[in-house]
Amino acid sequence: MPVDTHTKILATIGPSSATKEQIEKLMDAGADAFRINFSHGTHAEHKKRVKIIRDLEKEKGRYFSILADLQGPKLRVGTFRDEKVLLKDGATFVLDMNPEPGDENRVCLPHKEIFEALKEGDELLVNDGYIVLVVKECSKKQAVTKVKVGGYISSHKGVNLPNTSLKISAITEKDKADLRFALKLGVDWVALSFVQRAADVREAKKLIDGKAWVVSKLEKPSAIEDLDAIIEESAAIMVARGDLGVECPIQNVPVLQKKIVSACRKRARPVIVATQMLESMINNPTPTRAEVSDVATAVYDGADTIMLSAETAAGKYPVESVKMMHNIVTQVEKDPLFFELTQASRRKPCCSGEADSITFAASELTCVLKNVRAVVSYTTSGRTTFLTARERPYLPILAVTPDLSVARRLSLVWGVRPFINKRSFKSFANIEDSAVKIAVSNKYAKSGDHIIITAGFPLNLKGRTNVLHTVYIP
């Protein structure tokens, strides 16, 4: 059956959704891709989940993306002697490198890079920003802080430094081990957490060596400052609103979301909007009205993919969460205003290359040619399909590639349904026949319809898209 939405859904797999039965239900409910969160679970558990997805993929005759999300340099305090302690407003609280359990006066912060970067007046946000500490004195081994906003603190709570750029890699030793394992499993995308600069992405790409595509998670203000360079280095971007909403003033997050989505579309990079989209559905069968509006806004903004985290990983209603998200997407995409907005926000190609021009013209043609039902994008690397999706045609994009890994990766891209064709075409007539067969047999088009083809000539030449062709199906 043809895909009935353009915006894709990425579901996180966890204890609530790890069985074959549950994963199949998520697929049937509308999930297009699955996130494996390496902040939780064991390698054995992840291996089992990936195998289930791949087995179901074969059974259903569809391609699903698998995204391995690396934990990154998550900064956390150490342990406390008691279960938790209360930090009172105005109190003095010390962060140090002493591994002994903490109390209401001090706790270990086992990250020397933090002490090297801190200066008087800096703020540290603890436990998602519920506790605010202001640095009064600091050295390379400790920081004396004043509690600006107090509250209860317990072991291993996260620490954010909103105005401090740390000289640490976005890839920890744990990440490197997880990455090696994930690549052996054959994941399609690797999400890089706490990216601060474009150099972090280059480091990851060197380690990955082309075996997967990189998603840069934007969670820190320093990443926004280097936004264009990070997008250029990345295959896709994730608007990770959780830590971003802690590191930045929370009222800035919606503005940043729109800025990032727009910048990604300009450069033909898929963009994922993530975190707390249907948060209340972790414990309730229906979301709040505000959450529904939030999901709809991401769709209207033009996100390629919207993501569910704890809702499907640990919540009580994983399948219902995907169904709800799918229903919201469907309703938004039925709205005539949706495509008016996506077309109004189109820009001329940011470069004058052949592929940019061809895909731009193809989208223009969909608005002029009568009875056109699909754009068939022949691609080896996936780049042409990225460019086609950037134009946001109101028709499905049928991406035809000889590469299984590319087909799977394209499942995260707006409006795309991937297909594999390994044959070498000897003439353009063969390409026409192949495109018509795919479109008709998969019920995207029928007799009397047109389809639009983008491809490269000479045939089977990688990295060149220079043909725009229309086909009438008799």
Side-chain angles (χ1 to χ4, degrees), residues 219-440:
E219 303 169 271
K220 297 184 71 65
S222 55
I224 306 302
E225 294 171 9
D226 202 23
L227 179 61
D228 289 345
I230 290 172
I231 292 174
E232 196 62 37
E233 289 290 345
S234 308
I237 295 292
M238 182 185 293
V239 188
R241 303 181 307 177
D243 280 277
L244 189 62
V246 175
E247 298 259 356
C248 300
I250 198 164
Q251 66 270 19
N252 291 1
V253 174
V255 177
L256 291 174
Q257 176 174 309
K258 284 179 167 55
K259 177 180 180 179
I260 294 165
V261 170
S262 177
C264 288
R265 184 174 171 190
K266 178 181 177 181
R267 291 165 180 78
R269 297 296 195 275
V271 58
I272 303 165
V273 175
T275 316
Q276 295 182 331
M277 302 213 78
L278 296 175
E279 185 85 352
S280 67
M281 289 194 73
I282 295 172
N283 295 305
N284 300 296
T286 56
T288 67
R289 277 67 171 165
E291 288 168 339
V292 172
S293 182
D294 178 44
V295 173
T297 296
V299 179
Y300 278 116
D301 283 348
D304 290 74
T305 300
I306 47 182
M307 192 181 96
L308 292 164
S309 302
E311 299 96 329
T312 54
K316 296 179 181 178
Y317 303 98
V319 177
E320 290 82 356
S321 296
V322 174
K323 286 181 179 177
M324 178 57 66
M325 186 168 272
H326 176 79
N327 289 342
I328 297 167
V329 172
T330 300
Q331 194 63 39
V332 170
E333 293 185 356
K334 284 180 181 178
D335 180 7
L337 183 61
F338 171 68
F339 279 104
E340 287 182 24
L341 291 172
T342 57
Q343 290 303 303
S345 59
R346 284 182 72 204
R347 302 177 181 179
K348 290 184 179 180
C350 58
C351 67
S352 56
E354 288 177 321
D356 292 80
S357 303
I358 290 294
T359 52
F360 183 85
S363 186
E364 291 287 295
L365 192 55
T366 64
C367 301
V368 178
L369 186 63
K370 290 184 178 180
N371 297 327
V372 60
R373 302 301 180 195
V375 178
V376 184
S377 169
Y378 282 85
T379 183
T380 302
S381 67
R383 175 62 178 164
T384 302
T385 304
F386 277 21
L387 293 171
T388 304
R390 175 182 63 187
E391 304 305 326
R392 297 299 193 256
Y394 70 93
L395 303 172
I397 302 166
L398 312 184
V400 185
T401 178
D403 193 328
L404 174 60
S405 62
V406 171
R408 286 170 170 165
R409 294 166 188 173
L410 289 174
S411 294
L412 267 183
V413 182
W414 191 95
V416 173
R417 173 60 70 89
F419 296 91
I420 290 180
N421 190 326
K422 292 183 177 292
R423 63 183 288 195
S424 295
F425 298 107
K426 296 181 179 179
S427 69
F428 205 87
N430 294 146
I431 289 180
E432 280 191 15
D433 292 342
S434 168
V436 170
K437 183 178 179 181
I438 288 171
V440 173

Side-chain angles (χ1 to χ4, degrees), residues 89-158:
D89 292 0
T92 297
F93 189 69
V94 177
L95 303 166
D96 57 38
M97 297 288 290
N98 181 356
E100 293 294 318
D103 53 29
E104 66 275 7
N105 298 311
R106 60 153 296 276
V107 74
C108 178
L109 183 60
H111 304 284
K112 64 179 182 179
E113 300 87 355
I114 293 180
F115 297 109
E116 291 172 353
L118 281 179
K119 59 185 182 298
E120 184 180 345
D122 282 350
E123 288 190 350
L124 296 96
L125 309 180
V126 185
N127 190 18
D128 290 335
Y130 289 112
I131 294 173
V132 181
L133 308 175
V134 180
V135 176
K136 307 305 291 182
E137 302 174 21
C138 55
S139 67
K140 291 186 177 181
K141 291 188 177 181
Q142 74 168 24
V144 179
T145 74
K146 181 179 179 180
V147 180
K148 181 178 179 180
V149 179
Y152 283 100
I153 181 174
S154 56
S155 300
H156 306 303
K157 288 299 181 183

Side-chain angles (χ1 to χ4, degrees), residues 21-175:
E21 179 184 17
Q22 284 291 83
I23 292 174
E24 183 170 19
K25 286 181 179 179
L26 296 181
M27 291 177 175
D28 293 341
D32 302 282
F34 295 94
R35 171 177 173 253
I36 306 297
N37 186 1
F38 277 85
S39 294
H40 305 284
T42 66
H43 281 188
E45 288 171 337
H46 297 324
K47 182 178 181 179
K48 182 179 179 180
R49 293 163 187 176
V50 168
K51 184 178 186 305
I52 289 171
I53 295 167
R54 295 308 189 206
D55 288 345
L56 286 169
E57 186 180 63
K58 293 177 183 177
E59 291 178 20
K60 294 184 174 295
R62 283 186 60 191
Y63 304 107
F64 294 88
S65 282
I66 298 178
L67 180 148
D69 196 339
L70 303 180
Q71 179 174 286
K74 185 69 174 178
L75 308 174
R76 298 181 185 275
V77 299
T79 60
F80 286 87
R81 186 174 298 111
D82 298 321
E83 184 177 342
K84 60 182 179 180
V85 299
L86 176 63
L87 301 186
K88 296 181 179 180
D89 292 0
T92 297
F93 189 69
V94 177
L95 303 166
D96 57 38
M97 297 288 290
N98 181 356
E100 293 294 318
D103 53 29
E104 66 275 7
N105 298 311
R106 60 153 296 276
V107 74
C108 178
L109 183 60
H111 304 284
K112 64 179 182 179
E113 300 87 355
I114 293 180
F115 297 109
E116 291 172 353
L118 281 179
K119 59 185 182 298
E120 184 180 345
D122 282 350
E123 288 190 350
L124 296 96
L125 309 180
V126 185
N127 190 18
D128 290 335
Y130 289 112
I131 294 173
V132 181
L133 308 175
V134 180
V135 176
K136 307 305 291 182
E137 302 174 21
C138 55
S139 67
K140 291 186 177 181
K141 291 188 177 181
Q142 74 168 24
V144 179
T145 74
K146 181 179 179 180
V147 180
K148 181 178 179 180
V149 179
Y152 283 100
I153 181 174
S154 56
S155 300
H156 306 303
K157 288 299 181 183
V159 178
N160 294 83
L161 292 87
N163 300 311
T164 305
S165 179
L166 300 178
K167 295 181 180 180
I168 57 175
S169 169
I171 306 175
T172 66
E173 290 303 314
K174 176 186 185 308
D175 291 333

Side-chain angles (χ1 to χ4, degrees), residues 146-223:
K146 181 179 179 180
V147 180
K148 181 178 179 180
V149 179
Y152 283 100
I153 181 174
S154 56
S155 300
H156 306 303
K157 288 299 181 183
V159 178
N160 294 83
L161 292 87
N163 300 311
T164 305
S165 179
L166 300 178
K167 295 181 180 180
I168 57 175
S169 169
I171 306 175
T172 66
E173 290 303 314
K174 176 186 185 308
D175 291 333
K176 290 178 182 178
D178 289 340
L179 178 59
R180 288 191 293 269
F181 182 76
L183 294 176
K184 286 181 181 179
L185 294 180
V187 301
D188 308 300
W189 297 86
V190 173
L192 191 63
S193 297
F194 300 104
V195 172
Q196 295 189 89
R197 57 191 74 86
D200 294 334
V201 189
R202 290 192 288 270
E203 180 185 0
K205 288 165 65 176
K206 186 175 181 180
L207 293 172
I208 294 168
D209 193 26
K211 297 180 179 70
W213 288 349
V214 174
V215 178
S216 292
K217 295 169 65 178
L218 303 188
E219 303 169 271
K220 297 184 71 65
S222 55

